[in-house]
Amino acid sequence: MSQKISGGVFRSDLKLADGRTISYYDGAEIKRSAVDTRDEKAQPGIGHLRLDPLVNEWISVASHRQHRVFLPPKNLCPLCASKGDKLTEIPDSDYEVVVFGNKSPALTAPSSNWQLPQINGIDTPNADAAGACEVVCYTSNHDSSFAKLTEKQIRTVLEAWKDRDAALSRLNYIEYVFPFENRGEEVGVTISHPHGQIYAYSFVPPRVEKMLQAADAHLKKTGKVLLDDVIAREIKDKKRIICQNTEWIAYVPYAARYPFEIHIAPKRSVPALQDLDQSQSEQFAAVAKESLSRLDGVFGIEMAYIAAWYQAPVNIGRDSMRLHWQIVSVRRQPGKLKYLSGSESAMGAFIMDLEPEQSAEQLKAVKY
Amino acid sequence: MSQKISGGVFRSDLKLADGRTISYYDGAEIKRSAVDTRDEKAQPGIGHLRLDPLVNEWISVASHRQHRVFLPPKNLCPLCASKGDKLTEIPDSDYEVVVFGNKSPALTAPSSNWQLPQINGIDTPNADAAGACEVVCYTSNHDSSFAKLTEKQIRTVLEAWKDRDAALSRLNYIEYVFPFENRGEEVGVTISHPHGQIYAYSFVPPRVEKMLQAADAHLKKTGKVLLDDVIAREIKDKKRIICQNTEWIAYVPYAARYPFEIHIAPKRSVPALQDLDQSQSEQFAAVAKESLSRLDGVFGIEMAYIAAWYQAPVNIGRDSMRLHWQIVSVRRQPGKLKYLSGSESAMGAFIMDLEPEQSAEQLKAVKY
């Protein structure tokens, strides 16, 4: 039933009552067979994509999600393991890392003849919102966090990301795979159980499209990979580096947008998560754990953040776009948030009140 | 001392104690001569622009603002008129509409030989953060709001915007003029006095650059102005129109990003605020007031919003880009906000939980 993937991790695929797949990722071979005994039915409905002709961007309209089941009471966290008659999204009584489809996904598997329409201004037709939305539970321990995971646990999360990146990339309607974590009520998170998500889009998202333009232009002009040159500058400047080991480097970027922003990248750059080799995969956890711990340490409170994996799209830019992880926090000071208001939100023009070098100093000063 | 501008509005320019200009806009000629008797000194310091090479966007680093004076206690709102020994930013004891420079601006006037550097990846040099940040007080009544202004007051605000658009556009270091309002604590507003801001940038902001690409491509392909075609579609579809008169139309856009989003545009399109003619200027207030009142009426609470004027950049796109006002609210339900998290914030890929047509129905159902 279980299958050995890389990094000594085993994957077991089972079905939830409503037909969704749940994958358990374990650091050793464990027989997984727990049955989902809830009386759940598949939630039908797919959203649709509409083109915003003012900027030629796809908007996913997911009004079918309005009818989604509300969160159960707090004593029954849906991401904890099932215990006795407390039945959660995870049928087994314990787990290491699990991945399963979101119950009310904004993006879902389309019919087999689905195709993204050609963009043609206001004459662009709508399309079914093809894609995938998955939940990644980092640990069964409700009160933990990514930073508090052991390096071994982080390795298992990484192998789950790599495995899902590869699997989703093989679907013919997927153009971009995006693992991310929203953490903290300040960014709208309503379930505090440590977890992330994976959105897989049937189009290249606007932000990635723009990155790709810059990366392609740089490759064409210099013959070099843009992120390699960006990292070379960080290494040369030194002062914004938060931590590093042989394979990975974490730094506050030269032109950070948020008061606390850390980018984490492999020094030998790769297009996507699935391309990380054994040595890179082994060394990720140490740098990830230290970076996120420093973030929590700045104000001594759990920092709200968005942690976003950027990588090459599935079918284009594999030669120019490179994998890296951007973690941004909206907290400026213990009692103060940075709000994305007029300039940032409507113009895309960011104002930073803190020098990136000052921010790096504060992160480096945290005892770790 | 006062100068008659369009719409029967008079402008009086005076100086604040620290050297900033304050402009009073009055619906009739009023002699303005109140002196700012505060002991204030000019706040030196200019921020700098850094290029983010991953997307070729300018970030404004304004660390000098950290030292900015904190807000005075609530009983002394800095945007009310001065009364007795309560000295505010507005020296006079009453006013209609005033505009003055932000005390700690993120963008400021540069030295005379300033130039925006050519973008050249990681080799792009920094530059002084040239531009302007201004405050626009809509009324001296602390407890009012834009929606509660009379049509005559809104006309005066519009004339102030037009006047500032024209004046800022004449500065040789300004490429884009952006009047906007952040309203509500949910979008980070700490002063509840009804006011907006104007940011004038020395570069074309990323969002506008993208709009310009779409507008230019449409003009080249069809010979027509994109926004004209967008509005023609809204008129044809009818169902998303919130209100209109001869000159203006307000609608929930076909591909709205936010649960409550209204775009307001002149039917005879113009590049920028300063290009609005007399008839357009006269008819703006009715549509603006009704739209914002309906927004407040949806849940019967003052709606938090960002209201952003999009227009043609100063020196390019005057033939393709067209003036319109986008008002977006992050409130989904009385107790629920829409957060910009992973997909929206990191990918630029918006997920809408409400059909734009449903949103339009709710706005139209408000009694007005």
Side-chain angles (χ1 to χ4, degrees):
Chain A
M1 199 83 160
S2 75
Q3 187 184 339
K4 188 169 184 175
I5 60 170
S6 64
V9 170
F10 292 80
R11 189 188 74 223
S12 310
D13 298 330
L14 291 163
K15 288 283 179 196
L16 295 177
D18 58 12
R20 285 175 289 152
T21 297
I22 182 167
S23 300
Y24 293 82
Y25 292 88
D26 295 307
E29 190 159 18
I30 298 179
K31 190 176 153 47
R32 299 283 183 185
S33 59
V35 173
D36 183 4
T37 56
R38 295 175 299 173
D39 182 22
E40 301 271 324
K41 292 200 181 67
Q43 302 222 338
I46 185 166
H48 67 275
L49 302 176
R50 293 188 185 196
L51 190 82
D52 175 355
L54 293 179
V55 283
N56 287 330
E57 293 176 0
W58 292 105
I59 310 297
S60 308
V61 183
S63 57
H64 61 292
R65 296 171 81 211
Q66 283 189 299
H67 311 292
R68 65 181 179 250
V69 183
F70 268 106
L71 290 176
K74 278 194 177 172
N75 63 344
L76 183 54
C77 167
L79 306 185
C80 281
S82 292
K83 294 271 187 225
D85 60 354
K86 286 192 180 175
L87 303 176
T88 72
E89 289 281 78
I90 300 99
D92 216 336
S93 61
D94 197 12
Y95 66 87
E96 294 178 27
V97 172
V98 288
V99 179
F100 52 88
N102 192 306
K103 195 171 217 159
S104 299
L107 310 168
T108 36
S111 60
S112 59
N113 58 354
W114 182 92
Q115 254 194 312
L116 189 70
Q118 192 85 33
I119 287 181
N120 184 24
I122 54 172
D123 297 322
T124 311
N126 292 347
D128 280 348
C133 295
E134 300 184 337
V135 177
V136 183
C137 295
Y138 297 154
T139 166
S140 62
N141 179 356
H142 185 87
D143 299 314
S144 186
S145 68
F146 193 96
K148 287 183 194 154
L149 299 177
T150 63
E151 290 190 19
K152 185 164 189 302
Q153 286 177 302
I154 292 176
R155 175 68 189 272
T156 307
V157 173
L158 179 67
E159 293 300 335
W161 281 332
K162 287 165 60 179
D163 189 55
R164 292 310 302 156
D165 179 42
L168 290 164
S169 296
R170 280 191 296 270
L171 299 174
N172 62 4
Y173 54 92
I174 297 298
E175 295 295 336
Y176 191 77
V177 180
F178 173 46
F180 66 101
E181 179 186 358
N182 300 327
R183 188 229 210 172
E185 289 180 18
E186 298 89 332
V187 292
V189 178
T190 48
I191 305 179
S192 65
H193 194 110
H195 74 287
Q197 299 178 66
I198 301 173
Y199 274 26
Y201 302 92
S202 49
F203 53 88
V204 178
R207 196 79 195 145
V208 175
E209 205 172 47
K210 189 151 193 196
M211 278 188 169
L212 184 57
Q213 280 169 13
D216 279 347
H218 189 84
L219 184 64
K220 200 173 164 190
K221 186 176 157 194
T222 67
K224 296 199 292 184
V225 164
L226 177 57
L227 193 67
D228 290 346
D229 284 352
V230 164
I231 289 170
R233 189 227 316 238
E234 295 298 343
I235 289 172
K236 182 166 158 269
D237 285 1
K238 266 191 198 146
K239 54 192 168 187
R240 288 177 304 276
I241 298 175
I242 303 305
C243 59
Q244 58 181 316
N245 57 25
T246 325
E247 295 288 9
W248 292 81
I249 183 166
Y251 54 92
V252 176
Y254 180 74
R257 283 175 166 68
Y258 292 82
F260 294 95
E261 173 168 349
I262 303 177
H263 292 191
I264 301 180
K267 290 176 177 172
R268 293 181 293 119
S269 67
V270 299
L273 279 161
Q274 58 184 299
D275 303 312
L276 291 171
D277 68 18
Q278 195 188 326
S279 169
Q280 291 170 315
S281 299
E282 273 166 11
Q283 292 200 34
F284 169 70
V287 168
K289 187 174 168 67
E290 178 168 349
S291 298
L292 289 180
S293 300
R294 289 186 177 280
L295 207 53
D296 280 346
V298 167
F299 301 124
I301 51 174
E302 291 197 344
M303 199 76 135
Y305 61 70
I306 295 171
W309 280 104
Y310 290 86
Q311 53 183 3
V314 174
N315 294 309
I316 51 173
R318 306 297 284 196
D319 55 344
S320 60
M321 274 279 290
R322 286 295 178 262
L323 175 73
H324 67 288
W325 203 27
Q326 296 193 359
I327 297 130
V328 303
S329 172
V330 294
R331 190 159 292 285
R332 286 198 293 145
Q333 289 173 27
K336 280 192 194 165
L337 298 183
K338 170 169 183 65
Y339 289 91
L340 300 192
S341 45
S343 189
E344 289 85 2
S345 162
M347 291 289 112
F350 277 68
I351 315 282
M352 252 289 267
D353 280 349
L354 192 65
E355 302 249 352
E357 292 73 22
Q358 287 177 279
S359 165
E361 279 309 316
Q362 283 187 256
L363 287 161
K364 282 188 278 186
V366 171
K367 287 237 165 68
Y368 179 75
Chain B
M1 199 84 161
S2 75
Q3 188 185 336
K4 189 167 184 177
I5 61 171
S6 64
V9 170
F10 291 80
R11 190 188 74 221
S12 310
D13 298 330
L14 291 163
K15 288 283 177 195
L16 295 177
D18 59 11
R20 286 176 289 152
T21 298
I22 182 167
S23 299
Y24 293 83
Y25 292 88
D26 295 307
E29 191 160 18
I30 296 179
K31 191 176 153 48
R32 299 284 183 186
S33 58
V35 174
D36 183 4
T37 56
R38 296 174 299 174
D39 183 21
E40 301 271 323
K41 291 199 183 66
Q43 302 222 340
I46 185 165
H48 68 275
L49 302 175
R50 293 188 184 197
L51 190 83
D52 176 354
L54 293 179
V55 282
N56 287 330
E57 293 176 2
W58 292 105
I59 310 296
S60 308
V61 184
S63 58
H64 61 292
R65 296 173 78 210
Q66 283 189 298
H67 310 291
R68 65 178 178 252
V69 182
F70 268 107
L71 289 176
K74 278 195 178 170
N75 63 343
L76 184 53
C77 167
L79 305 186
C80 281
S82 292
K83 295 271 188 226
D85 60 354
K86 288 191 178 175
L87 303 177
T88 72
E89 289 281 78
I90 299 100
D92 216 336
S93 60
D94 197 13
Y95 67 86
E96 295 179 26
V97 172
V98 290
V99 178
F100 52 88
N102 193 307
K103 195 171 217 159
S104 299
L107 310 169
T108 36
S111 59
S112 59
N113 58 354
W114 182 91
Q115 255 195 311
L116 189 71
Q118 191 86 33
I119 288 181
N120 184 24
I122 53 171
D123 297 321
T124 311
N126 293 347
D128 280 348
C133 294
E134 299 184 336
V135 177
V136 183
C137 296
Y138 298 154
T139 165
S140 62
N141 179 358
H142 185 88
D143 298 315
S144 187
S145 68
F146 192 96
K148 288 184 196 152
L149 299 178
T150 63
E151 291 190 18
K152 184 163 190 302
Q153 286 177 302
I154 292 177
R155 175 68 190 273
T156 307
V157 173
L158 179 66
E159 292 300 335
W161 281 333
K162 287 165 59 180
D163 188 56
R164 291 312 301 156
D165 178 42
L168 290 163
S169 296
R170 280 192 294 269
L171 299 174
N172 64 3
Y173 54 91
I174 297 299
E175 295 294 337
Y176 190 76
V177 180
F178 174 46
F180 66 102
E181 179 186 357
N182 300 325
R183 190 230 207 170
E185 288 180 18
E186 299 89 332
V187 292
V189 177
T190 47
I191 306 180
S192 64
H193 194 110
H195 73 287
Q197 299 178 66
I198 301 173
Y199 274 25
Y201 302 92
S202 48
F203 53 88
V204 177
R207 197 78 196 146
V208 175
E209 204 172 47
K210 189 150 192 195
M211 278 188 169
L212 185 57
Q213 279 168 16
D216 278 348
H218 189 84
L219 184 64
K220 200 173 163 189
K221 185 176 159 196
T222 67
K224 295 200 292 183
V225 164
L226 177 57
L227 193 66
D228 291 345
D229 283 353
V230 165
I231 289 170
R233 190 230 312 239
E234 295 299 343
I235 289 173
K236 183 166 159 267
D237 285 0
K238 267 192 199 147
K239 54 193 168 186
R240 289 177 304 275
I241 298 175
I242 303 306
C243 59
Q244 57 182 316
N245 57 26
T246 325
E247 295 287 9
W248 292 81
I249 183 167
Y251 54 93
V252 176
Y254 180 74
R257 286 175 163 69
Y258 292 82
F260 294 95
E261 173 168 348
I262 303 177
H263 292 191
I264 301 180
K267 290 177 177 174
R268 293 181 293 121
S269 67
V270 298
L273 280 161
Q274 57 184 300
D275 302 314
L276 291 171
D277 68 18
Q278 195 188 326
S279 169
Q280 291 170 316
S281 300
E282 272 166 12
Q283 292 201 35
F284 169 70
V287 169
K289 186 174 169 67
E290 178 169 349
S291 299
L292 290 181
S293 300
R294 288 186 178 279
L295 207 55
D296 279 348
V298 167
F299 301 125
I301 51 174
E302 292 197 345
M303 198 77 134
Y305 61 70
I306 295 171
W309 280 106
Y310 290 87
Q311 52 182 3
V314 174
N315 294 308
I316 52 173
R318 306 296 284 195
D319 54 343
S320 61
M321 276 278 291
R322 286 295 179 263
L323 175 73
H324 67 288
W325 202 27
Q326 295 193 0
I327 297 129
V328 303
S329 172
V330 294
R331 189 160 294 284
R332 285 198 294 144
Q333 288 173 26
K336 281 193 192 164
L337 297 183
K338 167 165 187 69
Y339 290 92
L340 299 192
S341 45
S343 189
E344 289 85 1
S345 160
M347 290 290 112
F350 277 68
I351 315 282
M352 251 290 267
D353 280 349
L354 192 64
E355 302 249 353
E357 291 73 21
Q358 287 178 279
S359 166
E361 278 309 316
Q362 283 188 255
L363 286 161
K364 281 188 279 187
V366 172
K367 288 237 164 67
Y368 179 73

